[in-house]
Amino acid sequence: MRLAFVCAALAVPVIASAQELPVGGQLAASCAMCHGTGGRSAGGNEPLAGMPKEELIRKFTEFRSGAKPATVMHQIAKGYTDPQLNLIAEYFSAQKK
């Protein structure tokens, strides 16, 4: 019983912080695996933080259409609606490099 209480108490800050993120930040959270937290890549993949919104949207569109070669991004980009991609682009463009 005590362990369940401790686990629940520890989860509250995580839940609260996720709710504080704007919708674009919540959608962009899945990008952290490859592009780093907040789009600040530690290397290997292109950093997204601070990239102009228009450039991000152009790249998403090119991935979707197949015009830009990719290993997985073409599939990932197809999983979002245009409004969602717009929110993600807004989020990353507002992040500091």
Side-chain angles (χ1 to χ4, degrees):
M1 182 69 170
R2 221 179 230 185
L3 180 59
F5 178 75
V6 171
C7 290
L10 292 174
V12 171
V14 173
I15 293 168
S17 65
Q19 290 174 348
E20 292 170 11
L21 271 178
V23 175
Q26 292 174 28
L27 292 168
S30 62
C31 305
M33 263 314 258
C34 301
H35 294 280
T37 304
R40 290 179 225 46
S41 179
N45 288 311
E46 183 174 28
L48 304 176
M51 187 179 290
K53 177 182 169 184
E54 297 76 24
E55 185 176 346
L56 286 162
I57 290 173
R58 180 184 54 77
K59 287 183 180 198
F60 288 144
T61 303
E62 289 175 353
F63 282 130
R64 260 195 198 164
S65 70
K68 186 169 178 65
T71 53
V72 296
M73 274 306 299
H74 61 291
Q75 294 292 18
I76 292 169
K78 289 177 185 176
Y80 292 102
T81 65
D82 287 338
Q84 288 173 324
L85 289 175
N86 189 56
L87 289 168
I88 293 169
E90 283 178 0
Y91 172 77
F92 281 129
S93 67
Q95 300 305 301
K96 295 187 191 265
K97 294 182 181 184

mmCIF file of all heavy atoms in Angstrom, residues 40-93:
data_model
loop_
_atom_site.group_PDB
_atom_site.id
_atom_site.type_symbol
_atom_site.label_atom_id
_atom_site.label_comp_id
_atom_site.label_asym_id
_atom_site.label_seq_id
_atom_site.Cartn_x
_atom_site.Cartn_y
_atom_site.Cartn_z
ATOM 1 N N ARG A 40 16.754 19.731 -29.428
ATOM 2 C CA ARG A 40 18.183 20.023 -29.317
ATOM 3 C C ARG A 40 18.961 18.710 -29.418
ATOM 4 O O ARG A 40 19.246 18.081 -28.411
ATOM 5 C CB ARG A 40 18.484 20.732 -28.004
ATOM 6 C CG ARG A 40 17.940 22.168 -27.964
ATOM 7 C CD ARG A 40 18.255 22.792 -26.630
ATOM 8 N NE ARG A 40 17.239 23.522 -25.942
ATOM 9 C CZ ARG A 40 15.965 23.214 -25.720
ATOM 10 N NH1 ARG A 40 15.465 22.116 -26.158
ATOM 11 N NH2 ARG A 40 15.168 23.992 -25.046
ATOM 12 N N SER A 41 19.291 18.339 -30.626
ATOM 13 C CA SER A 41 19.962 17.069 -30.896
ATOM 14 C C SER A 41 21.376 17.070 -30.328
ATOM 15 O O SER A 41 22.097 18.063 -30.442
ATOM 16 C CB SER A 41 20.018 16.821 -32.398
ATOM 17 O OG SER A 41 20.680 15.608 -32.670
ATOM 18 N N ALA A 42 21.743 15.943 -29.743
ATOM 19 C CA ALA A 42 23.100 15.779 -29.222
ATOM 20 C C ALA A 42 24.027 15.268 -30.319
ATOM 21 O O ALA A 42 25.196 15.022 -30.081
ATOM 22 C CB ALA A 42 23.090 14.822 -28.042
ATOM 23 N N GLY A 43 23.506 15.127 -31.503
ATOM 24 C CA GLY A 43 24.307 14.646 -32.615
ATOM 25 C C GLY A 43 23.621 13.504 -33.320
ATOM 26 O O GLY A 43 22.718 12.876 -32.785
ATOM 27 N N GLY A 44 24.026 13.272 -34.531
ATOM 28 C CA GLY A 44 23.441 12.179 -35.297
ATOM 29 C C GLY A 44 22.268 12.617 -36.155
ATOM 30 O O GLY A 44 22.264 12.422 -37.347
ATOM 31 N N ASN A 45 21.267 13.236 -35.551
ATOM 32 C CA ASN A 45 20.109 13.730 -36.288
ATOM 33 C C ASN A 45 20.052 15.249 -36.214
ATOM 34 O O ASN A 45 20.536 15.860 -35.270
ATOM 35 C CB ASN A 45 18.814 13.132 -35.741
ATOM 36 C CG ASN A 45 18.674 11.671 -36.091
ATOM 37 O OD1 ASN A 45 18.854 11.283 -37.233
ATOM 38 N ND2 ASN A 45 18.383 10.855 -35.102
ATOM 39 N N GLU A 46 19.432 15.814 -37.211
ATOM 40 C CA GLU A 46 19.336 17.266 -37.324
ATOM 41 C C GLU A 46 18.614 17.877 -36.124
ATOM 42 O O GLU A 46 17.545 17.414 -35.737
ATOM 43 C CB GLU A 46 18.570 17.595 -38.609
ATOM 44 C CG GLU A 46 18.437 19.042 -38.909
ATOM 45 C CD GLU A 46 17.794 19.284 -40.267
ATOM 46 O OE1 GLU A 46 17.012 18.449 -40.745
ATOM 47 O OE2 GLU A 46 18.094 20.343 -40.834
ATOM 48 N N PRO A 47 19.190 18.927 -35.523
ATOM 49 C CA PRO A 47 18.472 19.621 -34.457
ATOM 50 C C PRO A 47 17.293 20.396 -35.052
ATOM 51 O O PRO A 47 17.398 20.949 -36.144
ATOM 52 C CB PRO A 47 19.510 20.569 -33.859
ATOM 53 C CG PRO A 47 20.566 20.713 -34.891
ATOM 54 C CD PRO A 47 20.511 19.488 -35.756
ATOM 55 N N LEU A 48 16.175 20.398 -34.343
ATOM 56 C CA LEU A 48 14.978 21.082 -34.818
ATOM 57 C C LEU A 48 14.733 22.393 -34.079
ATOM 58 O O LEU A 48 14.020 23.258 -34.568
ATOM 59 C CB LEU A 48 13.762 20.167 -34.665
ATOM 60 C CG LEU A 48 13.869 18.797 -35.360
ATOM 61 C CD1 LEU A 48 12.648 17.952 -35.056
ATOM 62 C CD2 LEU A 48 14.073 18.964 -36.852
ATOM 63 N N ALA A 49 15.334 22.542 -32.913
ATOM 64 C CA ALA A 49 15.134 23.738 -32.100
ATOM 65 C C ALA A 49 15.602 24.977 -32.846
ATOM 66 O O ALA A 49 16.711 25.013 -33.384
ATOM 67 C CB ALA A 49 15.890 23.622 -30.777
ATOM 68 N N GLY A 50 14.733 25.978 -32.903
ATOM 69 C CA GLY A 50 15.080 27.238 -33.521
ATOM 70 C C GLY A 50 15.004 27.262 -35.037
ATOM 71 O O GLY A 50 15.241 28.300 -35.650
ATOM 72 N N MET A 51 14.667 26.146 -35.655
ATOM 73 C CA MET A 51 14.549 26.110 -37.109
ATOM 74 C C MET A 51 13.293 26.901 -37.505
ATOM 75 O O MET A 51 12.266 26.787 -36.843
ATOM 76 C CB MET A 51 14.433 24.660 -37.598
ATOM 77 C CG MET A 51 14.482 24.510 -39.107
ATOM 78 S SD MET A 51 14.369 22.788 -39.659
ATOM 79 C CE MET A 51 15.962 22.153 -39.111
ATOM 80 N N PRO A 52 13.360 27.700 -38.549
ATOM 81 C CA PRO A 52 12.180 28.468 -38.956
ATOM 82 C C PRO A 52 10.980 27.562 -39.241
ATOM 83 O O PRO A 52 11.122 26.478 -39.835
ATOM 84 C CB PRO A 52 12.633 29.181 -40.232
ATOM 85 C CG PRO A 52 14.130 29.236 -40.128
ATOM 86 C CD PRO A 52 14.520 27.981 -39.392
ATOM 87 N N LYS A 53 9.816 28.020 -38.812
ATOM 88 C CA LYS A 53 8.576 27.253 -38.963
ATOM 89 C C LYS A 53 8.347 26.833 -40.414
ATOM 90 O O LYS A 53 8.004 25.684 -40.688
ATOM 91 C CB LYS A 53 7.406 28.090 -38.457
ATOM 92 C CG LYS A 53 6.065 27.446 -38.618
ATOM 93 C CD LYS A 53 4.966 28.374 -38.134
ATOM 94 C CE LYS A 53 3.622 27.853 -38.529
ATOM 95 N NZ LYS A 53 2.546 28.760 -38.159
ATOM 96 N N GLU A 54 8.549 27.750 -41.346
ATOM 97 C CA GLU A 54 8.309 27.462 -42.761
ATOM 98 C C GLU A 54 9.226 26.346 -43.267
ATOM 99 O O GLU A 54 8.819 25.524 -44.079
ATOM 100 C CB GLU A 54 8.505 28.728 -43.612
ATOM 101 C CG GLU A 54 7.533 29.848 -43.301
ATOM 102 C CD GLU A 54 7.848 30.603 -41.999
ATOM 103 O OE1 GLU A 54 9.019 30.611 -41.537
ATOM 104 O OE2 GLU A 54 6.903 31.171 -41.431
ATOM 105 N N GLU A 55 10.457 26.339 -42.779
ATOM 106 C CA GLU A 55 11.409 25.301 -43.192
ATOM 107 C C GLU A 55 10.982 23.937 -42.649
ATOM 108 O O GLU A 55 11.052 22.932 -43.360
ATOM 109 C CB GLU A 55 12.819 25.643 -42.703
ATOM 110 C CG GLU A 55 13.871 24.677 -43.184
ATOM 111 C CD GLU A 55 15.278 25.073 -42.767
ATOM 112 O OE1 GLU A 55 15.493 26.221 -42.329
ATOM 113 O OE2 GLU A 55 16.170 24.215 -42.891
ATOM 114 N N LEU A 56 10.531 23.908 -41.401
ATOM 115 C CA LEU A 56 10.056 22.654 -40.814
ATOM 116 C C LEU A 56 8.848 22.119 -41.581
ATOM 117 O O LEU A 56 8.789 20.931 -41.911
ATOM 118 C CB LEU A 56 9.699 22.849 -39.340
ATOM 119 C CG LEU A 56 10.884 22.979 -38.399
ATOM 120 C CD1 LEU A 56 10.460 23.588 -37.080
ATOM 121 C CD2 LEU A 56 11.522 21.624 -38.173
ATOM 122 N N ILE A 57 7.907 22.986 -41.883
ATOM 123 C CA ILE A 57 6.715 22.553 -42.620
ATOM 124 C C ILE A 57 7.093 22.058 -44.006
ATOM 125 O O ILE A 57 6.579 21.041 -44.477
ATOM 126 C CB ILE A 57 5.670 23.695 -42.678
ATOM 127 C CG1 ILE A 57 5.090 23.909 -41.275
ATOM 128 C CG2 ILE A 57 4.561 23.373 -43.674
ATOM 129 C CD1 ILE A 57 4.185 25.097 -41.131
ATOM 130 N N ARG A 58 8.016 22.757 -44.671
ATOM 131 C CA ARG A 58 8.491 22.308 -45.980
ATOM 132 C C ARG A 58 9.094 20.917 -45.892
ATOM 133 O O ARG A 58 8.795 20.041 -46.715
ATOM 134 C CB ARG A 58 9.517 23.301 -46.549
ATOM 135 C CG ARG A 58 10.070 22.885 -47.930
ATOM 136 C CD ARG A 58 11.163 23.826 -48.426
ATOM 137 N NE ARG A 58 12.268 24.014 -47.498
ATOM 138 C CZ ARG A 58 13.250 23.138 -47.283
ATOM 139 N NH1 ARG A 58 13.263 21.989 -47.924
ATOM 140 N NH2 ARG A 58 14.221 23.409 -46.435
ATOM 141 N N LYS A 59 9.927 20.682 -44.867
ATOM 142 C CA LYS A 59 10.563 19.368 -44.710
ATOM 143 C C LYS A 59 9.525 18.286 -44.417
ATOM 144 O O LYS A 59 9.595 17.187 -44.979
ATOM 145 C CB LYS A 59 11.626 19.418 -43.616
ATOM 146 C CG LYS A 59 12.854 20.180 -44.056
ATOM 147 C CD LYS A 59 13.927 20.175 -43.003
ATOM 148 C CE LYS A 59 15.126 20.951 -43.512
ATOM 149 N NZ LYS A 59 16.328 20.670 -42.790
ATOM 150 N N PHE A 60 8.565 18.591 -43.532
ATOM 151 C CA PHE A 60 7.498 17.618 -43.247
ATOM 152 C C PHE A 60 6.756 17.253 -44.539
ATOM 153 O O PHE A 60 6.482 16.083 -44.802
ATOM 154 C CB PHE A 60 6.476 18.185 -42.249
ATOM 155 C CG PHE A 60 6.967 18.306 -40.838
ATOM 156 C CD1 PHE A 60 6.552 19.377 -40.049
ATOM 157 C CD2 PHE A 60 7.789 17.367 -40.260
ATOM 158 C CE1 PHE A 60 6.979 19.509 -38.734
ATOM 159 C CE2 PHE A 60 8.224 17.479 -38.948
ATOM 160 C CZ PHE A 60 7.814 18.554 -38.190
ATOM 161 N N THR A 61 6.446 18.262 -45.336
ATOM 162 C CA THR A 61 5.718 18.052 -46.591
ATOM 163 C C THR A 61 6.537 17.212 -47.559
ATOM 164 O O THR A 61 6.010 16.309 -48.219
ATOM 165 C CB THR A 61 5.361 19.414 -47.225
ATOM 166 O OG1 THR A 61 4.595 20.173 -46.271
ATOM 167 C CG2 THR A 61 4.556 19.253 -48.491
ATOM 168 N N GLU A 62 7.836 17.486 -47.639
ATOM 169 C CA GLU A 62 8.714 16.714 -48.525
ATOM 170 C C GLU A 62 8.853 15.264 -48.059
ATOM 171 O O GLU A 62 8.909 14.347 -48.880
ATOM 172 C CB GLU A 62 10.082 17.383 -48.633
ATOM 173 C CG GLU A 62 10.044 18.682 -49.418
ATOM 174 C CD GLU A 62 11.370 19.422 -49.421
ATOM 175 O OE1 GLU A 62 12.321 19.020 -48.702
ATOM 176 O OE2 GLU A 62 11.465 20.432 -50.149
ATOM 177 N N PHE A 63 8.914 15.052 -46.744
ATOM 178 C CA PHE A 63 8.961 13.682 -46.232
ATOM 179 C C PHE A 63 7.680 12.946 -46.608
ATOM 180 O O PHE A 63 7.717 11.804 -47.074
ATOM 181 C CB PHE A 63 9.131 13.659 -44.707
ATOM 182 C CG PHE A 63 10.538 13.921 -44.241
ATOM 183 C CD1 PHE A 63 10.781 14.868 -43.268
ATOM 184 C CD2 PHE A 63 11.616 13.210 -44.741
ATOM 185 C CE1 PHE A 63 12.071 15.109 -42.808
ATOM 186 C CE2 PHE A 63 12.910 13.438 -44.299
ATOM 187 C CZ PHE A 63 13.135 14.394 -43.323
ATOM 188 N N ARG A 64 6.546 13.598 -46.375
ATOM 189 C CA ARG A 64 5.250 12.983 -46.671
ATOM 190 C C ARG A 64 5.131 12.559 -48.131
ATOM 191 O O ARG A 64 4.624 11.489 -48.429
ATOM 192 C CB ARG A 64 4.131 13.979 -46.392
ATOM 193 C CG ARG A 64 3.449 13.798 -45.120
ATOM 194 C CD ARG A 64 2.185 14.605 -45.218
ATOM 195 N NE ARG A 64 1.646 14.844 -43.912
ATOM 196 C CZ ARG A 64 0.749 15.750 -43.658
ATOM 197 N NH1 ARG A 64 0.300 16.539 -44.597
ATOM 198 N NH2 ARG A 64 0.280 15.894 -42.461
ATOM 199 N N SER A 65 5.562 13.432 -49.031
ATOM 200 C CA SER A 65 5.404 13.164 -50.464
ATOM 201 C C SER A 65 6.454 12.190 -51.000
ATOM 202 O O SER A 65 6.303 11.661 -52.091
ATOM 203 C CB SER A 65 5.489 14.463 -51.253
ATOM 204 O OG SER A 65 6.809 14.971 -51.241
ATOM 205 N N GLY A 66 7.524 12.001 -50.241
ATOM 206 C CA GLY A 66 8.616 11.152 -50.706
ATOM 207 C C GLY A 66 9.686 11.930 -51.445
ATOM 208 O O GLY A 66 10.669 11.353 -51.898
ATOM 209 N N ALA A 67 9.510 13.240 -51.572
ATOM 210 C CA ALA A 67 10.498 14.074 -52.266
ATOM 211 C C ALA A 67 11.810 14.143 -51.490
ATOM 212 O O ALA A 67 12.874 14.318 -52.083
ATOM 213 C CB ALA A 67 9.948 15.484 -52.482
ATOM 214 N N LYS A 68 11.739 14.026 -50.172
ATOM 215 C CA LYS A 68 12.940 14.037 -49.332
ATOM 216 C C LYS A 68 13.168 12.609 -48.838
ATOM 217 O O LYS A 68 12.311 12.044 -48.168
ATOM 218 C CB LYS A 68 12.745 15.000 -48.154
ATOM 219 C CG LYS A 68 13.987 15.182 -47.305
ATOM 220 C CD LYS A 68 13.777 16.355 -46.348
ATOM 221 C CE LYS A 68 14.941 16.582 -45.434
ATOM 222 N NZ LYS A 68 16.165 16.977 -46.113
ATOM 223 N N PRO A 69 14.307 12.016 -49.169
ATOM 224 C CA PRO A 69 14.588 10.643 -48.734
ATOM 225 C C PRO A 69 14.644 10.536 -47.206
ATOM 226 O O PRO A 69 15.077 11.465 -46.527
ATOM 227 C CB PRO A 69 15.962 10.334 -49.336
ATOM 228 C CG PRO A 69 16.242 11.412 -50.313
ATOM 229 C CD PRO A 69 15.395 12.580 -49.944
ATOM 230 N N ALA A 70 14.193 9.401 -46.702
ATOM 231 C CA ALA A 70 14.181 9.198 -45.258
ATOM 232 C C ALA A 70 14.168 7.720 -44.929
ATOM 233 O O ALA A 70 13.809 6.897 -45.769
ATOM 234 C CB ALA A 70 12.942 9.863 -44.662
ATOM 235 N N THR A 71 14.576 7.423 -43.710
ATOM 236 C CA THR A 71 14.477 6.041 -43.246
ATOM 237 C C THR A 71 13.117 5.813 -42.583
ATOM 238 O O THR A 71 12.425 4.861 -42.898
ATOM 239 C CB THR A 71 15.603 5.695 -42.257
ATOM 240 O OG1 THR A 71 15.604 6.655 -41.215
ATOM 241 C CG2 THR A 71 16.955 5.689 -42.945
ATOM 242 N N VAL A 72 12.710 6.724 -41.692
ATOM 243 C CA VAL A 72 11.413 6.588 -41.016
ATOM 244 C C VAL A 72 10.563 7.850 -41.061
ATOM 245 O O VAL A 72 9.357 7.786 -40.865
ATOM 246 C CB VAL A 72 11.575 6.149 -39.540
ATOM 247 C CG1 VAL A 72 12.187 4.778 -39.443
ATOM 248 C CG2 VAL A 72 12.340 7.157 -38.732
ATOM 249 N N MET A 73 11.171 8.996 -41.338
ATOM 250 C CA MET A 73 10.425 10.252 -41.271
ATOM 251 C C MET A 73 9.260 10.315 -42.259
ATOM 252 O O MET A 73 8.248 10.954 -41.981
ATOM 253 C CB MET A 73 11.347 11.456 -41.485
ATOM 254 C CG MET A 73 12.023 11.956 -40.230
ATOM 255 S SD MET A 73 10.888 12.349 -38.865
ATOM 256 C CE MET A 73 9.880 13.643 -39.566
ATOM 257 N N HIS A 74 9.374 9.659 -43.387
ATOM 258 C CA HIS A 74 8.265 9.683 -44.343
ATOM 259 C C HIS A 74 7.017 9.039 -43.743
ATOM 260 O O HIS A 74 5.908 9.500 -43.959
ATOM 261 C CB HIS A 74 8.671 9.017 -45.662
ATOM 262 C CG HIS A 74 9.048 7.584 -45.536
ATOM 263 N ND1 HIS A 74 10.190 7.164 -44.891
ATOM 264 C CD2 HIS A 74 8.416 6.468 -45.957
ATOM 265 C CE1 HIS A 74 10.257 5.843 -44.932
ATOM 266 N NE2 HIS A 74 9.196 5.401 -45.562
ATOM 267 N N GLN A 75 7.204 8.008 -42.938
ATOM 268 C CA GLN A 75 6.061 7.357 -42.274
ATOM 269 C C GLN A 75 5.564 8.187 -41.094
ATOM 270 O O GLN A 75 4.372 8.314 -40.881
ATOM 271 C CB GLN A 75 6.441 5.950 -41.785
ATOM 272 C CG GLN A 75 6.729 4.994 -42.900
ATOM 273 C CD GLN A 75 5.486 4.646 -43.716
ATOM 274 O OE1 GLN A 75 4.481 5.329 -43.677
ATOM 275 N NE2 GLN A 75 5.570 3.573 -44.470
ATOM 276 N N ILE A 76 6.482 8.755 -40.345
ATOM 277 C CA ILE A 76 6.105 9.564 -39.183
ATOM 278 C C ILE A 76 5.309 10.782 -39.637
ATOM 279 O O ILE A 76 4.264 11.099 -39.067
ATOM 280 C CB ILE A 76 7.352 9.965 -38.373
ATOM 281 C CG1 ILE A 76 7.966 8.713 -37.723
ATOM 282 C CG2 ILE A 76 7.009 11.015 -37.323
ATOM 283 C CD1 ILE A 76 9.329 8.926 -37.112
ATOM 284 N N ALA A 77 5.780 11.476 -40.660
ATOM 285 C CA ALA A 77 5.103 12.687 -41.139
ATOM 286 C C ALA A 77 3.693 12.381 -41.626
ATOM 287 O O ALA A 77 2.796 13.209 -41.475
ATOM 288 C CB ALA A 77 5.921 13.339 -42.245
ATOM 289 N N LYS A 78 3.482 11.205 -42.182
ATOM 290 C CA LYS A 78 2.148 10.818 -42.661
ATOM 291 C C LYS A 78 1.179 10.585 -41.504
ATOM 292 O O LYS A 78 -0.027 10.582 -41.715
ATOM 293 C CB LYS A 78 2.236 9.561 -43.524
ATOM 294 C CG LYS A 78 2.884 9.795 -44.864
ATOM 295 C CD LYS A 78 3.012 8.500 -45.637
ATOM 296 C CE LYS A 78 3.783 8.720 -46.926
ATOM 297 N NZ LYS A 78 3.995 7.462 -47.658
ATOM 298 N N GLY A 79 1.694 10.405 -40.303
ATOM 299 C CA GLY A 79 0.847 10.130 -39.147
ATOM 300 C C GLY A 79 0.244 11.369 -38.504
ATOM 301 O O GLY A 79 -0.540 11.255 -37.565
ATOM 302 N N TYR A 80 0.599 12.546 -38.997
ATOM 303 C CA TYR A 80 0.093 13.798 -38.428
ATOM 304 C C TYR A 80 -0.755 14.536 -39.456
ATOM 305 O O TYR A 80 -0.470 14.493 -40.652
ATOM 306 C CB TYR A 80 1.255 14.704 -37.995
ATOM 307 C CG TYR A 80 2.037 14.171 -36.829
ATOM 308 C CD1 TYR A 80 3.269 13.556 -37.024
ATOM 309 C CD2 TYR A 80 1.557 14.281 -35.535
ATOM 310 C CE1 TYR A 80 3.994 13.065 -35.940
ATOM 311 C CE2 TYR A 80 2.270 13.805 -34.457
ATOM 312 C CZ TYR A 80 3.489 13.190 -34.664
ATOM 313 O OH TYR A 80 4.198 12.700 -33.602
ATOM 314 N N THR A 81 -1.747 15.247 -38.974
ATOM 315 C CA THR A 81 -2.550 16.110 -39.841
ATOM 316 C C THR A 81 -1.775 17.388 -40.115
ATOM 317 O O THR A 81 -0.808 17.699 -39.406
ATOM 318 C CB THR A 81 -3.889 16.471 -39.168
ATOM 319 O OG1 THR A 81 -3.614 17.256 -37.991
ATOM 320 C CG2 THR A 81 -4.690 15.232 -38.803
ATOM 321 N N ASP A 82 -2.205 18.159 -41.100
ATOM 322 C CA ASP A 82 -1.557 19.440 -41.379
ATOM 323 C C ASP A 82 -1.607 20.374 -40.169
ATOM 324 O O ASP A 82 -0.586 20.978 -39.827
ATOM 325 C CB ASP A 82 -2.184 20.121 -42.599
ATOM 326 C CG ASP A 82 -1.803 19.433 -43.907
ATOM 327 O OD1 ASP A 82 -0.769 18.736 -43.947
ATOM 328 O OD2 ASP A 82 -2.543 19.609 -44.888
ATOM 329 N N PRO A 83 -2.761 20.500 -39.479
ATOM 330 C CA PRO A 83 -2.776 21.356 -38.281
ATOM 331 C C PRO A 83 -1.819 20.874 -37.187
ATOM 332 O O PRO A 83 -1.188 21.679 -36.501
ATOM 333 C CB PRO A 83 -4.231 21.306 -37.806
ATOM 334 C CG PRO A 83 -5.025 20.973 -39.028
ATOM 335 C CD PRO A 83 -4.125 20.072 -39.832
ATOM 336 N N GLN A 84 -1.678 19.564 -37.027
ATOM 337 C CA GLN A 84 -0.742 19.037 -36.025
ATOM 338 C C GLN A 84 0.699 19.349 -36.410
ATOM 339 O O GLN A 84 1.496 19.746 -35.562
ATOM 340 C CB GLN A 84 -0.933 17.522 -35.863
ATOM 341 C CG GLN A 84 -2.210 17.143 -35.152
ATOM 342 C CD GLN A 84 -2.449 15.645 -35.164
ATOM 343 O OE1 GLN A 84 -2.136 14.953 -36.127
ATOM 344 N NE2 GLN A 84 -3.017 15.152 -34.069
ATOM 345 N N LEU A 85 1.029 19.186 -37.681
ATOM 346 C CA LEU A 85 2.392 19.511 -38.136
ATOM 347 C C LEU A 85 2.674 20.994 -37.957
ATOM 348 O O LEU A 85 3.792 21.383 -37.616
ATOM 349 C CB LEU A 85 2.600 19.090 -39.587
ATOM 350 C CG LEU A 85 2.678 17.586 -39.829
ATOM 351 C CD1 LEU A 85 2.769 17.293 -41.324
ATOM 352 C CD2 LEU A 85 3.842 16.959 -39.090
ATOM 353 N N ASN A 86 1.675 21.813 -38.159
ATOM 354 C CA ASN A 86 1.820 23.249 -37.951
ATOM 355 C C ASN A 86 2.136 23.542 -36.479
ATOM 356 O O ASN A 86 3.014 24.353 -36.174
ATOM 357 C CB ASN A 86 0.547 23.972 -38.397
ATOM 358 C CG ASN A 86 0.731 25.465 -38.415
ATOM 359 O OD1 ASN A 86 1.636 25.977 -39.068
ATOM 360 N ND2 ASN A 86 -0.115 26.164 -37.689
ATOM 361 N N LEU A 87 1.435 22.874 -35.561
ATOM 362 C CA LEU A 87 1.684 23.060 -34.131
ATOM 363 C C LEU A 87 3.086 22.591 -33.741
ATOM 364 O O LEU A 87 3.775 23.236 -32.950
ATOM 365 C CB LEU A 87 0.631 22.311 -33.303
ATOM 366 C CG LEU A 87 -0.767 22.899 -33.322
ATOM 367 C CD1 LEU A 87 -1.763 21.908 -32.704
ATOM 368 C CD2 LEU A 87 -0.808 24.218 -32.572
ATOM 369 N N ILE A 88 3.513 21.477 -34.296
ATOM 370 C CA ILE A 88 4.856 20.958 -34.023
ATOM 371 C C ILE A 88 5.906 21.944 -34.536
ATOM 372 O O ILE A 88 6.877 22.257 -33.838
ATOM 373 C CB ILE A 88 5.046 19.562 -34.658
ATOM 374 C CG1 ILE A 88 4.149 18.536 -33.958
ATOM 375 C CG2 ILE A 88 6.506 19.128 -34.599
ATOM 376 C CD1 ILE A 88 4.056 17.199 -34.671
ATOM 377 N N ALA A 89 5.702 22.453 -35.752
ATOM 378 C CA ALA A 89 6.646 23.414 -36.338
ATOM 379 C C ALA A 89 6.702 24.697 -35.506
ATOM 380 O O ALA A 89 7.785 25.246 -35.276
ATOM 381 C CB ALA A 89 6.259 23.716 -37.779
ATOM 382 N N GLU A 90 5.558 25.165 -35.041
ATOM 383 C CA GLU A 90 5.520 26.354 -34.187
ATOM 384 C C GLU A 90 6.309 26.105 -32.906
ATOM 385 O O GLU A 90 7.056 26.974 -32.445
ATOM 386 C CB GLU A 90 4.079 26.728 -33.830
ATOM 387 C CG GLU A 90 3.341 27.414 -34.933
ATOM 388 C CD GLU A 90 1.890 27.730 -34.568
ATOM 389 O OE1 GLU A 90 1.442 27.415 -33.435
ATOM 390 O OE2 GLU A 90 1.202 28.285 -35.433
ATOM 391 N N TYR A 91 6.110 24.924 -32.323
ATOM 392 C CA TYR A 91 6.807 24.596 -31.065
ATOM 393 C C TYR A 91 8.313 24.601 -31.279
ATOM 394 O O TYR A 91 9.050 25.258 -30.531
ATOM 395 C CB TYR A 91 6.336 23.238 -30.550
ATOM 396 C CG TYR A 91 7.146 22.744 -29.384
ATOM 397 C CD1 TYR A 91 6.948 23.272 -28.113
ATOM 398 C CD2 TYR A 91 8.144 21.787 -29.550
ATOM 399 C CE1 TYR A 91 7.714 22.840 -27.038
ATOM 400 C CE2 TYR A 91 8.912 21.358 -28.481
ATOM 401 C CZ TYR A 91 8.684 21.898 -27.223
ATOM 402 O OH TYR A 91 9.455 21.484 -26.157
ATOM 403 N N PHE A 92 8.799 23.860 -32.274
ATOM 404 C CA PHE A 92 10.250 23.776 -32.476
ATOM 405 C C PHE A 92 10.856 25.120 -32.874
ATOM 406 O O PHE A 92 11.962 25.447 -32.449
ATOM 407 C CB PHE A 92 10.601 22.704 -33.505
ATOM 408 C CG PHE A 92 10.563 21.314 -32.957
ATOM 409 C CD1 PHE A 92 9.838 20.322 -33.606
ATOM 410 C CD2 PHE A 92 11.240 20.969 -31.808
ATOM 411 C CE1 PHE A 92 9.789 19.032 -33.103
ATOM 412 C CE2 PHE A 92 11.206 19.678 -31.286
ATOM 413 C CZ PHE A 92 10.472 18.707 -31.950
ATOM 414 N N SER A 93 10.163 25.890 -33.681
ATOM 415 C CA SER A 93 10.722 27.177 -34.098
ATOM 416 C C SER A 93 10.852 28.137 -32.922
ATOM 417 O O SER A 93 11.713 29.021 -32.934
ATOM 418 C CB SER A 93 9.870 27.798 -35.210
ATOM 419 O OG SER A 93 8.593 28.161 -34.739
#
